[in-house]
Amino acid sequence: MVQITSANHRITMGLSDNIAAVKGDVSTHAMNIFVEFFKKFPQHQTVFADYKGKDPDSLKSMPKFKTHTTKVVSKLLEVIEKSGDAGSFTSACTVLAKMPQHKGLNQQQFSDLGVVLMPYLQKTLGGACDSGAWEQAYNSLVSNVGPQL
């Protein structure tokens, strides 16, 4: 979806365009998202033994943090991309929930990540951010994944 308003010439890209923009520098975005996540919800940082007790800003210097967060955000983007196809999306959510590394995670953690993700995308993508589509897709992800954790 692309909206152009003549009053301010604002262009809003659609969800797939937003995803492509994030993928363009996914490692940087992933680390920034998780630093913000751990700052806002420090209790979730303790879930990760390698990050427990560390200053969130210092995590960017850890190679494992870059690799880990890139994998997480890439997987989230992959699932969100399927949000337009109910069958594929539901299946992708089930795969995400059942990944062995997600054992012990809960719906609140996924929900809280969205609390950080939405403002981050709005700030990063500016007027091009399709906030409504992101919120709808991410909320659907949480409601599909959460009960399966």
Side-chain angles (χ1 to χ4, degrees), residues 82-96:
K82 298 176 187 214
S83 64
D85 176 341
S88 294
F89 182 68
T90 301
S91 176
C93 286
T94 298
V95 168
L96 181 65

Side-chain angles (χ1 to χ4, degrees), residues 47 97 99-107 109 149:
V47 171
M99 292 173 78
Q101 62 268 42
H102 295 158
K103 186 176 177 84
L105 295 182
N106 61 53
Q107 186 167 352
Q109 291 159 325
L149 292 170

Side-chain angles (χ1 to χ4, degrees), residues 6 14 16-17 41 64 70 127 135 149:
S6 58
S16 60
D17 294 322
F41 300 101
K64 183 176 183 173
T70 299
E135 288 178 22
L149 292 170

Side-chain angles (χ1 to χ4, degrees), residues 26-133:
V26 69
S27 292
T28 298
H29 293 304
M31 288 190 296
N32 290 338
I33 289 164
F34 270 86
V35 165
E36 291 301 313
F37 179 57
F38 293 151
K39 284 179 176 179
K40 187 160 185 80
F41 300 101
Q43 70 273 22
H44 297 322
Q45 187 174 339
T46 63
V47 171
F48 305 96
D50 291 335
Y51 312 146
K52 188 176 182 177
K54 293 186 170 69
D55 173 43
D57 288 314
S58 75
L59 297 173
K60 289 182 181 182
S61 66
M62 296 174 62
K64 183 176 183 173
F65 184 70
K66 180 179 183 177
T67 303
H68 175 232
T69 58
T70 299
K71 285 180 182 177
V72 171
V73 171
S74 294
K75 186 64 174 176
L76 282 174
L77 294 174
E78 179 186 308
V79 174
I80 296 285
E81 275 183 309
K82 298 176 187 214
S83 64
D85 176 341
S88 294
F89 182 68
T90 301
S91 176
C93 286
T94 298
V95 168
L96 181 65
K98 299 301 179 190
M99 292 173 78
Q101 62 268 42
H102 295 158
K103 186 176 177 84
L105 295 182
N106 61 53
Q107 186 167 352
Q108 189 62 53
Q109 291 159 325
F110 276 84
S111 182
D112 289 348
L113 182 59
V115 169
V116 172
L117 181 63
M118 296 308 135
Y120 177 83
L121 293 170
Q122 290 165 344
K123 178 179 72 176
T124 302
L125 299 173
C129 183
D130 190 347
S131 299

